Every structure is written in structure tokens, then in C-alpha cells.
Amino acid sequence: MQPNSIVLIGSGNVATHLGLQLKAKDFPILQVYGHTLASAQVLGEKLGTAFTNDIASVLPQAGYYIFSLKDSALPEVLKSFPAYGGMWLHTSGSLPLSIFEGYTSCYGVLYPLQTFSKDRELDFDSVPLFIEANDDSSFNKLEALAKALSGQVYPLSSDKRKYLHLAAVFACNFTNRLYDIAYNLLEEQDINPQTLLPLIKETAAKIETMQPRDAQTGPAARNDLNILAMHRQLLQDKPELLHIYNLLTQDINSER
Amino acid sequence: MQPNSIVLIGSGNVATHLGLQLKAKDFPILQVYGHTLASAQVLGEKLGTAFTNDIASVLPQAGYYIFSLKDSALPEVLKSFPAYGGMWLHTSGSLPLSIFEGYTSCYGVLYPLQTFSKDRELDFDSVPLFIEANDDSSFNKLEALAKALSGQVYPLSSDKRKYLHLAAVFACNFTNRLYDIAYNLLEEQDINPQTLLPLIKETAAKIETMQPRDAQTGPAARNDLNILAMHRQLLQDKPELLHIYNLLTQDINSER
């Protein structure tokens, strides 16, 4: 076995960014497995390493097998995965540590709290990594890996990690959907949606120095009934948006 | 009349940041009016100028009277405002230009698309300013002022400005509420909510180079039913949040 060597199981957004950071930190990446040969090849070539879409061809000697797959795919892949040594890790916010039970004796979770897109560069050094392992020895092995990749490493149990992932859905996925709604409203009026960017950036930057509850502004926070009524009027032919508008307005109001 | 001189009617967040930028760009600020003497005094001292809470004491010789008041307060203040010359401006996203009709003959709107907090510094030079005026001559006078304050100045009608304000509510106020929800979820689990900051920052930064619809990630976008079910389970004793979760999830899903 080559203790620091890596096999990446998966070739999506997380595998791509993790792979690039592992390579930047001089971990030997032995191979990339992808669900399709094409996707495995793209990442394999990006990392300058071997690639396969055949589980039986996965190399046996890696120090770490890092599974970055869709959550629904991992249980199936594990069933057919060879009983190799090394440490097995997954990178999911929602799957428990125990998913590896019965397959291997040294395993853990390495959850990066970030939104990854393949074509976008990222400062991985500051991505918070949440880690968990099956025993102290595994934990130490995982912690060494995680600390080599990021300056922000935190232990976290599977139970708590579920809440972290849920919070990330609100703070990232839902937030991005609100950006999309705002863009669509402006495009319909032939207003350049990019004029929103300074506002969006400042809204995010503000909470680096203030608590979100103290940063809350706008007609809902002020309970400005005239504006709320006018906005509802503007949304009258968009029932889904009106519903979202009413719900979030009511929710902000109830916090005052 | 002193053509470039300013009287600020209002002493809140917008008046504060606008006042600081006007001062930085060497516009003489003659006076600040505030609803209470205390708030007028705070801003007056910050800007090194006179202050009052008595409308009858507002100075007559300003080139611009800039009304930055709560939307619901402006109509009342206008009723008792002296019939001074100079250009009258308001800074509201939602009030129409026509609110000044009958009071004066040179008026306009100067709407800064940004979220302002008194204690937070801001790069006003890049705040988009949306302007509108009652005729060409007023427009030119307003445009000169706006371009002295920011590098991003756009003409926009009252009708379209309402949609811009609505979009800003989604992109800023509602987004901040989602941050708050995420923070609360983590605090309940004794997880440091500030570990969300790199994710929040990247979510906002991403759309500087991607359209929000292309940047959408997460279980709703992937229609990952197991995770969606698990998240709903975690929110079962928080009906308002569950409602928001379901609505935004459904909304993201319907866009796929």
C-alpha cells in the first residue's frame, strides 16, 4: 500500500475540486473511477492520472479511497466494490458514517462545506472540512489528510452533519434560487440583472461583520404595508412567486 | 441659491450613506433634517453640518433637497414642506416620481440599489443609481449629481423601478432571511454558524461569472428524493421552515 496515495471514486464537481487540491498538495492520485468512461477521462486527464469506469479495474494499493458520488449511487457502488485496504471516505453531507459498516475497518467522512462547479476556480484552502471516522486511529489518519487540504477542519458527527447540510441548502441552494427569481423579474422588464450584483455581494459580505438577524432590512422588516401590497400586486400573475413572497415576508415579520 | 448645495431630509441608513458620499465628493451639505432631534444630530455631527427636526427651520437656499424617509412618511412631510426652489429628489425604490407633482417644478428620483447599514462602510462609487426626473432640464441636473456620486448611473421609469425594488427584496432581504434561518439551524446544534461564510460568499461570487440558473446545485436541483425526505424529517417540528423548504424545493424542481 502507498499510504498517501489516492483513488477517486467519482468524477463530478466535488471529486474534481478535491482532486485538484489533492494534486496541488502533492498527494499521488493513482486513478479516477467514473460512472461513464467519458467523465472519468475528463477528470483523469485534468489530474494527469489513470481512469476507468470498471469497478473491477480499480487499483488495490491506495491509501485512501474517496467516494464522491451521488448519495443515491453510493450504496450500490459499495456492494460491488472490492474488499481493499486503505481508508474509505465519502464526501456527502447527508449520508451517515455507518454506510461503510461491514465493508471495511478503516473509514470516515470528509464533508467539504462549499458549492462546487467544475469550471470555476476556488480557494480550497479556506473550504471548511467536517470530518468523522470509525475510531481514533482512523480519525487521526483522516485529520492528517484534511489538514493538508484546508486550514478549516472540524470534527462533526453524522447526526449533526445532516443539519449542517440542511443549513447549507437554505444558505446556498435556496439563496441561489432567489437570485434566479430576481434575475427573471428584471429580464422581463428589460433591466440588466447584473445591476443586482453589488447588492448581492454586499448582502453576503455584511454578515461577515453582523449577525443576519441584525442585518435584516426591507419592507417586510419595517412592516411597510403599502409596499408589501404593491409588491403583491406586481406578482399577481405569478402565483408561485407570490406564495414565496408571502411566506418569507410573514417569516421575517414574525421575527421582529 | 447655491447650485450644488444639499439639504438632507432624513437621517436614516440611506441618508447617512448618501450624505457621507456627498461630503466625500465635496458637495456642501447645508443641513440635515431628522424626524427626531437626536437622529438629526447624529448625522449632522457625522457630516459636520447643521441639523434640525423642525420643518419650518429647513434652510431655503439649497440646490438639492434630498428626501430619504420611510415611504409612508414622505407624503406627510411634503404637505408641510415650504415651497422652496432647488431640485427635490427622493431615494425610494417604490414611490413614484409623481409624488412631487404640485409641490415643485424641478424634481426627480435617485434610487441607490444597495443595502445600507449605518455602521458599515461601503464603496458608494460602485452603487448603481437609478434616476428619473420630470423633464429634460431636471434630468440633466440630476444626472450630473448622480454621476459625481457613482460610476453606475441608469435612467429608469417609476413603473420599472417598482420591479427593481421587488427583485432587490428577493435578492437581498429574503436572501438575508435564509442566512438567518441557516444560522439558527446551526446554533441549535452547537455548530459555529460562521463556518457557512465561505459557502455564502462563493454562492454570491459565482453569479458574477455564471447565470444563477446555471449555478443551481443541491438536492432539489438533482431531485434527490432521499435527501429531500430526510430534510423534511429534520424540519418536522418547525412547520414554517418546512413550508419554506417545500416551496423553494418545488420551485427549483419546476425549473429543471
Side-chain angles (χ1 to χ4, degrees), chain A residues 13 70-72 92-94 113-117 120-122 126-128 130 152 154 156 159-192 194-220 222 224 226-227 230-231 234-235 238 240-241 243-245 247-249 251-252 254-255, chain B residues 13 70-72 92-94 113-117 120-122 126-128 130 152 154 156 159-220 222 224 226-227 230-231 234-235 238 240-241 243-245 247-249 251-252 255:
Chain A
N13 294 341
K70 278 176 64 172
D71 286 3
S72 52
S92 162
S94 293
L113 183 65
Q114 190 47 283
T115 172
F116 298 106
S117 296
R120 207 180 134 74
E121 277 189 41
L122 191 91
S126 62
V127 172
F130 292 86
Q152 287 203 54
Y154 308 93
L156 195 73
D159 270 358
K160 291 197 181 263
R161 194 171 59 253
K162 289 191 289 191
Y163 285 93
L164 184 62
H165 188 208
L166 176 61
V169 166
F170 279 93
C172 168
N173 305 149
F174 289 171
T175 287
N176 184 74
R177 178 59 189 141
L178 294 182
Y179 297 160
D180 194 20
I181 290 171
Y183 267 51
N184 294 341
L185 286 168
L186 294 193
E187 280 164 0
E188 272 188 33
Q189 299 295 319
D190 293 318
I191 302 171
N192 178 359
Q194 299 210 321
T195 56
L196 286 169
L197 287 174
L199 174 65
I200 285 171
K201 199 170 168 182
E202 170 67 7
T203 303
K206 234 176 170 176
I207 62 166
E208 291 176 15
T209 57
M210 302 170 81
Q211 288 288 308
R213 69 183 62 90
D214 300 324
Q216 191 68 56
T217 56
R222 292 192 308 270
D224 192 326
N226 291 333
I227 296 194
M230 192 190 77
H231 285 170
L234 296 179
L235 291 172
K238 298 182 170 66
E240 291 85 7
L241 295 193
H243 201 160
I244 293 171
Y245 185 91
L247 201 55
L248 284 166
T249 292
D251 186 59
I252 289 170
S254 71
E255 295 290 309
Chain B
N13 295 340
K70 278 177 65 173
D71 285 3
S72 52
S92 160
S94 293
L113 183 65
Q114 188 49 281
T115 170
F116 298 106
S117 296
R120 206 179 134 75
E121 277 190 42
L122 191 91
S126 62
V127 172
F130 292 86
Q152 287 201 55
Y154 307 94
L156 196 73
D159 270 358
K160 290 198 182 264
R161 195 172 58 253
K162 289 191 289 191
Y163 284 93
L164 185 64
H165 189 209
L166 176 61
V169 166
F170 279 92
C172 167
N173 306 149
F174 289 172
T175 288
N176 184 74
R177 177 60 189 141
L178 295 182
Y179 297 161
D180 194 21
I181 291 171
Y183 267 51
N184 294 341
L185 286 168
L186 294 193
E187 280 165 0
E188 271 189 33
Q189 299 295 319
D190 293 317
I191 303 170
N192 179 358
Q194 300 210 321
T195 57
L196 285 169
L197 287 174
L199 174 66
I200 284 171
K201 199 171 170 184
E202 170 67 6
T203 303
K206 235 176 168 176
I207 62 165
E208 291 176 15
T209 58
M210 302 171 80
Q211 288 288 308
R213 68 183 63 90
D214 300 324
Q216 191 68 56
T217 56
R222 294 193 306 272
D224 192 326
N226 291 332
I227 297 193
M230 191 189 78
H231 285 169
L234 297 179
L235 292 173
K238 299 181 169 65
E240 292 85 6
L241 296 193
H243 200 162
I244 293 170
Y245 185 90
L247 200 55
L248 284 166
T249 292
D251 185 59
I252 290 170
E255 294 292 307

Side-chain angles (χ1 to χ4, degrees), chain B residues 9-11 33 35 67-74 77 91-92 95:
Chain B
I9 310 297
S11 54
Y33 162 87
H35 182 59
F67 297 79
S68 293
L69 300 163
K70 278 177 65 173
D71 285 3
S72 52
L74 183 57
V77 169
T91 58
S92 160
L95 293 177

Side-chain angles (χ1 to χ4, degrees), chain A:
Chain A
M1 202 217 290
Q2 301 171 239
N4 273 336
S5 68
I6 311 280
V7 166
L8 291 174
I9 310 297
S11 54
N13 294 341
V14 176
T16 298
H17 282 274
L18 197 55
L20 289 168
Q21 180 74 344
L22 286 160
K23 185 178 155 83
K25 301 295 179 182
D26 293 326
F27 286 85
I29 302 176
L30 305 182
Q31 191 185 34
V32 172
Y33 162 88
H35 182 58
T36 66
L37 194 60
S39 68
Q41 180 168 2
V42 169
L43 183 53
E45 287 177 354
K46 207 173 263 183
L47 301 174
T49 191
F51 54 88
T52 181
N53 70 330
D54 172 21
I55 286 191
S57 304
V58 170
L59 297 170
Q61 71 270 33
Y64 297 92
Y65 292 90
I66 305 182
F67 296 79
S68 294
L69 300 163
K70 278 176 64 172
D71 286 3
S72 52
L74 183 56
E76 283 308 305
V77 168
L78 286 178
K79 279 183 200 159
S80 52
F81 205 77
Y84 295 153
M87 180 166 207
W88 295 19
L89 299 171
H90 76 67
T91 58
S92 162
S94 293
L95 293 177
L97 174 68
S98 61
I99 199 160
F100 289 123
E101 257 171 36
Y103 289 110
T104 180
S105 60
C106 175
Y107 53 92
V109 180
L110 174 73
Y111 173 54
L113 183 65
Q114 190 47 283
T115 172
F116 298 106
S117 296
K118 278 181 193 164
D119 295 332
R120 207 180 134 74
E121 277 189 41
L122 191 91
D123 172 24
F124 204 103
D125 292 354
S126 62
V127 172
L129 299 178
F130 292 86
I131 61 172
E132 182 185 19
N134 66 304
D135 61 25
D136 284 354
S137 149
S138 300
F139 186 86
N140 293 339
K141 192 171 155 79
L142 171 55
E143 192 180 36
L145 175 71
K147 289 192 167 171
L149 300 178
S150 167
Q152 287 203 54
V153 176
Y154 308 93
L156 195 73
S157 71
S158 291
D159 270 358
K160 291 197 181 263
R161 194 171 59 253
K162 289 191 289 191
Y163 285 93
L164 184 62
H165 188 208
L166 176 61
V169 166
F170 279 93
C172 168
N173 305 149
F174 289 171
T175 287
N176 184 74
R177 178 59 189 141
L178 294 182
Y179 297 160
D180 194 20
I181 290 171
Y183 267 51
N184 294 341
L185 286 168
L186 294 193
E187 280 164 0
E188 272 188 33
Q189 299 295 319
D190 293 318
I191 302 171
N192 178 359
Q194 299 210 321
T195 56
L196 286 169
L197 287 174
L199 174 65
I200 285 171
K201 199 170 168 182
E202 170 67 7
T203 303
K206 234 176 170 176
I207 62 166
E208 291 176 15
T209 57
M210 302 170 81
Q211 288 288 308
R213 69 183 62 90
D214 300 324
Q216 191 68 56
T217 56
R222 292 192 308 270
N223 199 26
D224 192 326
L225 299 176
N226 291 333
I227 296 194
L228 296 177
M230 192 190 77
H231 285 170
R232 286 171 179 137
Q233 179 73 17
L234 296 179
L235 291 172
Q236 65 179 346
D237 60 345
K238 298 182 170 66
E240 291 85 7
L241 295 193
L242 181 59
H243 201 160
I244 293 171
Y245 185 91
N246 284 334
L247 201 55
L248 284 166
T249 292
Q250 187 187 344
D251 186 59
I252 289 170
N253 240 299
S254 71
E255 295 290 309
R256 297 287 109 185

